[in-house]
């Protein structure tokens, strides 16, 4: 049971919490009950199930997200992942809505296709990069925003296109960075991830490009207002660490390791969670 809990990597959901908080902060009159259900279903059922599938099919021996030395996987992990997915669908249908349940179903299918040996999107670098960042970014943002604001049509989500795309832009930068220390492990399985395709230095150049684009997106969305100033202040520790890490990696590529990657993830999630959490009360 301890190994199963480790592979569910529930604390890893904290790294995806900014997307939920961003959508919540932009909701003028959120449905509180639905917001809590959406939060629970995403961060305690859907995302952990996805982590479990990935662990089960990959059977990693090297470091993966939040697990520097992952324990061996068993068939029970596979059954637990299915149970979490099914429970997410049932609760989504009962307490949130049909569109949100549809999102859960599609996300579950994609998460299985990502790691399953018959499909294994993970071995197609550009396709997996695009699919993962769209689903975990823009579509997750819209899937949160729609039910907690009781919107009934897709057209009503059009004004939220820019913040949704900013979420994807952030992940287009961060997602390859989360793979940068796994090149050897991925090569053993024959997975050509986006980070392997770009190379270590190329992964950092890619991150710089998409983070600059995200900055432009935030500027366009917030304008020269208090939220933008607050964002700049709160993101300073993250940007300072990323600059330092890039410089160190340029000198020695061994600095593109598990610990530095986890520090980046923690700083990114803490800074953005604080920012969007404050926006929820402004």
């Amino acid at each position: 049971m301890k190994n199963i809990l480790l592979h569910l990597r529930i604390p890893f959901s904290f790294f995806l919490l900014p997307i939920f908080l961003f959508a919540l902060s932009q909701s003028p009159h959120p449905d509180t009950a639905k917001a809590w259900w959406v939060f629970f279903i995403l961060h305690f059922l859907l995302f952990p199930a996805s982590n479990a599938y990935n662990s089960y099919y990959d059977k990693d021996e090297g470091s993966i997200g939040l697990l520097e030395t992952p324990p061996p996987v068993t068939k029970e992990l596979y059954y637990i992942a299915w149970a979490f997915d099914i429970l997410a669908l049932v609760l989504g249908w009962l307490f949130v809505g049909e569109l949100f349940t549809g999102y859960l179903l599609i996300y579950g299918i994609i998460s299985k296709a990502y790691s399953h040996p018959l499909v294994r999107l993970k071995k197609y670098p550009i396709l997996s990069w695009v699919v993962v960042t769209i689903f975990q970014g823009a579509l997750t943002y819209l899937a949160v925003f729609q039910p907690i604001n009781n919107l009934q049509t897709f057209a009503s989500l059009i004004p939220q296109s820019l913040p949704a795309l900013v979420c994807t832009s952030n992940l287009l930068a961060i997602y390859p960075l989360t793979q940068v220390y796994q090149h050897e492990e991925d090569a053993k399985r024959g997975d050509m991830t986006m980070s392997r395709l770009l190379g270590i230095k190329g992964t950092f150049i890619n991150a710089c490009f998409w983070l600059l684009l995200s900055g432009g997106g935030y500027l366009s969305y917030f304008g020269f207002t208090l939220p933008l100033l607050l964002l700049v202040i709160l993101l300073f520790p993250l940007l300072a660490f990323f600059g330092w890490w890039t410089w160190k990696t340029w000198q020695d590529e061994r600095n593109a390791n598990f610990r530095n990657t986890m520090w980046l993830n923690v700083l990114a999630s803490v800074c953005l969670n604080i920012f969007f959490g404050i926006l929820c009360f402004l």
Side-chain angles (χ1 to χ4, degrees), residues 3 5 43 46-47 59 70 72 108 133 161 181 183 227 238 252 267:
N3 288 351
L5 287 172
H43 296 279
L46 184 70
F47 297 153
K59 296 175 173 59
T133 55
S161 298
Y181 64 90
H183 288 192
L238 168 64
D252 185 352
L267 279 172

Side-chain angles (χ1 to χ4, degrees), residues 182-200:
Q182 292 180 303
H183 288 192
E184 184 177 344
E185 186 86 14
D186 290 328
K188 289 179 182 177
R189 288 192 299 264
D191 292 335
M192 179 56 73
T193 61
M194 192 62 184
S195 183
R196 280 192 68 206
L197 180 66
L198 292 168
I200 289 178

Side-chain angles (χ1 to χ4, degrees), residues 181-255:
Y181 64 90
Q182 292 180 303
H183 288 192
E184 184 177 344
E185 186 86 14
D186 290 328
K188 289 179 182 177
R189 288 192 299 264
D191 292 335
M192 179 56 73
T193 61
M194 192 62 184
S195 183
R196 280 192 68 206
L197 180 66
L198 292 168
I200 289 178
K201 291 182 178 178
T203 300
F204 282 83
I205 293 172
N206 173 77
C208 290
F209 172 79
W210 290 106
L211 288 175
L212 283 172
L213 198 63
S214 294
Y218 284 124
L219 175 60
S220 178
Y221 184 67
F222 289 120
F224 292 98
T225 59
L226 177 60
L228 184 70
L229 176 61
L230 186 62
L231 177 66
V232 171
I233 294 171
L234 288 172
L235 285 187
F236 179 77
L238 168 64
L239 297 177
F241 176 83
F242 177 68
W244 171 85
W245 187 26
T246 302
W247 177 67
K248 294 291 288 185
T249 301
W250 232 254
Q251 293 180 316
D252 185 352
E253 290 188 349
R254 288 176 296 181
N255 286 299

Side-chain angles (χ1 to χ4, degrees), residues 110-125:
I110 294 296
S111 70
K112 295 173 186 63
Y114 180 76
S115 299
H116 197 285
L118 292 180
V119 183
R120 200 148 181 89
L121 291 177
K122 192 175 183 178
K123 68 181 179 181
Y124 303 105

Side-chain angles (χ1 to χ4, degrees), residues 151-180:
L151 303 179
Q152 303 303 315
T153 65
F154 288 107
S156 56
L157 290 171
I158 292 176
Q160 295 302 312
S161 298
L162 181 55
L165 290 174
V166 169
C167 291
T168 285
S169 182
N170 286 338
L171 290 174
L172 286 167
I174 298 296
Y175 177 61
L177 284 172
T178 65
Q179 304 168 327
V180 75

Side-chain angles (χ1 to χ4, degrees), residues 26-128:
Q26 301 310 299
S27 302
H29 304 289
D31 185 319
T32 304
K34 284 188 177 180
W36 278 111
W37 277 113
V38 168
F39 167 74
F40 174 76
I41 291 168
L42 290 183
H43 296 279
F44 288 89
L45 295 175
L46 184 70
F47 297 153
S50 179
N51 294 334
Y53 284 119
N54 189 44
S55 289
Y56 178 78
Y57 288 117
D58 284 355
K59 296 175 173 59
D60 292 285
E61 296 177 358
S63 303
I64 54 175
L66 289 183
L67 295 178
E68 192 164 8
T69 53
V73 299
T74 61
K75 197 69 176 179
E76 286 76 15
L77 179 65
Y78 177 78
Y79 297 139
I80 289 291
W82 267 105
F84 273 43
D85 258 346
I86 293 171
L87 183 58
L89 291 171
V90 171
L91 295 178
W93 180 270
L94 291 176
F95 298 108
V96 183
E98 296 176 1
L99 289 177
F100 182 71
T101 307
Y103 156 80
L104 296 175
L105 178 63
I106 296 172
Y107 191 103
I109 292 171
I110 294 296
S111 70
K112 295 173 186 63
Y114 180 76
S115 299
H116 197 285
L118 292 180
V119 183
R120 200 148 181 89
L121 291 177
K122 192 175 183 178
K123 68 181 179 181
Y124 303 105
I126 297 176
L127 179 62
S128 62

